[in-house]
Amino acid sequence: MISITGLNVYYGESHILREVDLSVAPGKMVCLIGRNGVGKTTLLKTIMGLLPPRSGEMTLEGVPILKQSTDQRARLGIGYVPQGREIIPRLSVQDNLILGLEALGKNKPKHPVIPEEIFELFPVLKTMLSRMGGDLSGGQQQQLAIARALMGNPRLLLLDEPTEGIQPSIILEIEAAVQKIVKTRGISVLLVEQHLHFVRQADWYYAMQKGGIVAAGPTQDLSNEVIQNFLAV
């Protein structure tokens, strides 16, 4: 699905990502772990085209994408749910969802319809279509943000700490929805997460430290030592 090799990213002259190699296979969930400030969010933003790398290679299904703009990457099938969700508070839930269709570009339907599948994943949204996005709880906003990204029919979904600041019952609902997305739609997921239970749902993990990948492997082999070293919780 996506393959990254030798990626280097700077903020000014500060070297943030250092020779990052990472890949996500089709229909798999990969979790990126590491303490705050090691470059996880920077990596997701670079994949989405929001930050330019100084060197490295990145391909989506074998096609180089580093020269593609953010909107072009969205049309190629990359969906992004940023940390903090960034739903539009003064738009209704329905309008926030329909906004996700912009990722389809010219293929956007003239008469937008929200697929029933969205409400199967996140039933609470169906009851709140007319409510303003800013009136939703944090957990509901997170569900809305993921649903909005799914409206663009992504092949790769980037999730930046989707459980941050959310109550435990909603975390479990989000976990279940993401697992269903992977299993039923074959979408690949790259997840930045600190919540250990969610981390263990992934097929593979990468651990970051000081801007580089320092450990990787199947999550079933994730040792207590790695957890202690790289997870903040």
Side-chain angles (χ1 to χ4, degrees):
M1 171 55 66
I2 193 164
S3 178
I4 298 167
T5 55
L7 193 69
N8 288 278
V9 176
Y10 289 72
Y11 285 138
E13 292 305 311
S14 298
H15 197 172
I16 307 301
L17 296 183
R18 301 171 181 269
E19 296 293 328
V20 170
D21 295 341
L22 178 147
S23 64
V24 181
K28 297 296 182 182
M29 188 193 313
V30 172
C31 191
L32 185 61
I33 64 174
R35 298 185 184 277
N36 293 335
V38 299
K40 305 185 301 296
T41 293
T42 296
L43 178 55
L44 294 195
K45 287 183 175 181
T46 304
I47 293 172
M48 198 64 233
L50 298 169
L51 293 172
R54 190 167 293 186
S55 62
E57 296 181 0
M58 188 185 305
T59 60
L60 185 69
E61 295 187 332
V63 178
I65 61 170
L66 280 182
K67 293 184 180 180
Q68 303 283 353
S69 64
T70 297
D71 61 315
Q72 288 172 327
R73 295 185 201 196
R75 293 185 189 113
L76 287 171
I78 302 179
Y80 178 45
V81 181
Q83 189 176 22
R85 301 175 279 275
E86 296 185 11
I87 59 103
I88 300 178
R90 294 191 179 182
L91 285 185
S92 68
V93 168
Q94 178 167 305
D95 287 343
N96 267 282
L97 288 171
I98 289 172
L99 193 62
L101 293 171
E102 293 298 322
L104 299 174
K106 294 179 180 179
N107 295 320
K108 182 177 68 173
K110 292 182 179 179
H111 305 289
V113 175
I114 300 168
E116 193 62 31
E117 179 186 19
I118 294 293
F119 302 129
E120 291 172 2
L121 289 167
F122 304 110
V124 70
L125 298 181
K126 192 168 188 176
T127 68
M128 296 184 169
L129 287 175
S130 61
R131 293 184 63 178
M132 294 297 103
D135 293 337
L136 274 58
S137 70
Q140 292 162 350
Q141 288 185 10
Q142 186 64 68
Q143 292 177 80
L144 174 57
I146 296 172
R148 180 181 61 185
L150 291 174
M151 291 288 289
N153 292 326
R155 293 178 289 166
L156 171 66
L157 184 60
L158 310 176
L159 299 175
D160 195 351
E161 300 209 21
T163 68
E164 184 179 36
I166 294 175
Q167 64 190 64
S169 62
I170 303 297
I171 289 175
L172 293 176
E173 291 178 15
I174 290 172
E175 283 185 23
V178 172
Q179 284 182 287
K180 188 174 182 180
I181 290 164
V182 174
K183 291 177 181 177
T184 64
R185 293 183 57 172
I187 294 175
S188 302
V189 172
L190 178 57
L191 168 74
V192 170
E193 187 53 69
Q194 300 281 5
H195 191 267
L196 181 57
H197 187 270
F198 204 170
V199 170
R200 289 200 181 278
Q201 310 306 309
D203 300 289
W204 193 269
Y205 79 91
Y206 288 91
M208 289 191 75
Q209 191 173 65
K210 296 180 180 179
I213 302 295
V214 293
T219 51
Q220 63 187 18
D221 296 339
L222 194 57
S223 68
N224 289 332
E225 181 182 5
V226 171
I227 291 167
Q228 194 169 26
N229 286 340
F230 301 108
L231 282 180
V233 292

